[in-house]
Amino acid sequence: MQQHLAPHLTKLKEHNDGSIDATDIRKIEKYYGLAVPAILGEAYATLRNSGLTQRERLACTFMGATTGLFDDFYDKKLLPDDYIKNLYTKPYQYRGQNDNERLFNLCVITALENAADREILMENAGRVHAAQMASRLQTDNTLSYEAIQQITFDKGGYSVVFYMSVFQQQMPRADLKLFYNAGALLQLENDIFDVYKDSIAGVQTLITRATHIKPLRVLYTEMWEKVKSLVFATGYEKEAKAAFLSIVGAIVSRGFVCLDMLEKREKENNNIFQPSAFSRKQLICDMEKPVNLLRTMHYYAEIL
């Protein structure tokens, strides 16, 4: 990031046309641009038992950097679907009309030029695009539970498949199932932490729609158990599978801590979970608190 991406971000911090703000930069530097190579990339490297190459690290770093920008095309910029498709499928032709789109263009081209297979990467980008279009329906409060669940799973599942496809020319079916289900679980974990933000924005998720936390905990646990079984169904070495699960498990453990907090809110509200009944402070799970760090370690030891 410091060597290849930071110089571009520094220029944008100093001067841009207003289409990029501090939040956009922070998403790249502190979250997606960092987490995709440092967590998902390293998890895959651990699974195959070999470190990431320079090209792989470049590709997944810049691909991660596109994530927040890509999300904003739908949620904040409200760009037409066909235009968004042109931006990622024809990056050499559609360079972008502002600094936000031009940064996206730079990241897409860098990822494509360093990926194992451009066509497979673009094919999976199309699945992410379809999932993002479907997620726009989450502002409809008449959406069924089943529809919300499918949107949630597809949004997270195809995103992780997209990230992982940077490393492989042809992904084995067992890997595809593993990465999709791991992504679905991580999206659910993300929604658990975002319950306040989504509730305020009127976004329908499995958490904002919930009236009781226990069924969510059951679903979350079942999904984690499924990911564990899918890891052991792959053809990687036994020790590598365990190491992969230790990385993913560290993230999943955090979700259990947040579920504990939300269940406490439910009990305080006459045993009904209702996000609108609580303040931001009551729904934000601060994972930097020592007690929450200890609880995370407890769950980590318990679920592996």
Side-chain angles (χ1 to χ4, degrees), residues 193-208:
F193 278 95
D194 282 351
V195 60
Y196 176 78
K197 183 188 74 173
D198 290 336
S199 177
I200 292 297
V203 176
Q204 305 294 307
T205 69
L206 296 179
I207 296 82
T208 61

Side-chain angles (χ1 to χ4, degrees), residues 87-99:
L87 286 175
Y88 75 82
T89 59
K90 303 174 182 179
Y92 294 98
Q93 180 179 347
Y94 289 85
R95 292 285 187 170
Q97 299 179 3
N98 54 48
D99 285 336

Side-chain angles (χ1 to χ4, degrees), residues 19 78 112 116 119-120 124 158 244 293:
S19 60
L78 304 178
L112 283 173
E119 291 187 11
I120 289 176
N124 286 311
Y158 288 129
F244 175 86
L293 292 173

Side-chain angles (χ1 to χ4, degrees), residues 119-243:
E119 291 187 11
I120 289 176
L121 193 64
M122 281 296 98
E123 182 180 325
N124 286 311
R127 293 189 176 98
V128 176
H129 178 57
Q132 286 281 15
M133 287 192 291
S135 72
R136 285 176 166 168
L137 298 174
Q138 286 181 274
T139 56
D140 181 358
N141 60 16
T142 65
L143 206 61
S144 70
Y145 177 91
E146 292 74 18
I148 295 173
Q149 179 171 285
Q150 192 63 58
I151 290 170
T152 301
F153 289 3
D154 284 350
K155 187 176 179 180
Y158 288 129
S159 291
V160 170
V161 169
F162 169 64
Y163 295 137
M164 294 304 196
S165 66
V166 74
F167 307 116
Q168 304 183 57
Q169 290 184 318
Q170 189 62 48
M171 190 178 294
R173 182 170 179 78
D175 287 28
L176 181 61
K177 290 181 67 176
L178 167 62
F179 297 145
Y180 175 88
N181 282 276
L185 174 58
L186 295 178
Q187 181 63 49
L188 180 57
E189 190 251 10
N190 185 71
D191 287 350
I192 289 170
F193 278 95
D194 282 351
V195 60
Y196 176 78
K197 183 188 74 173
D198 290 336
S199 177
I200 292 297
V203 176
Q204 305 294 307
T205 69
L206 296 179
I207 296 82
T208 61
R209 182 70 70 84
T211 54
H212 298 286
I213 298 301
K214 185 177 179 180
L216 278 172
R217 185 187 296 275
V218 171
L219 175 63
Y220 193 70
T221 303
E222 288 176 346
M223 291 174 70
W224 169 238
E225 292 301 321
K226 185 175 184 179
V227 167
K228 288 198 289 186
S229 68
L230 289 172
V231 170
F232 289 107
T234 64
Y236 299 100
E237 296 177 3
K238 183 178 179 180
E239 294 78 7
K241 294 174 183 178

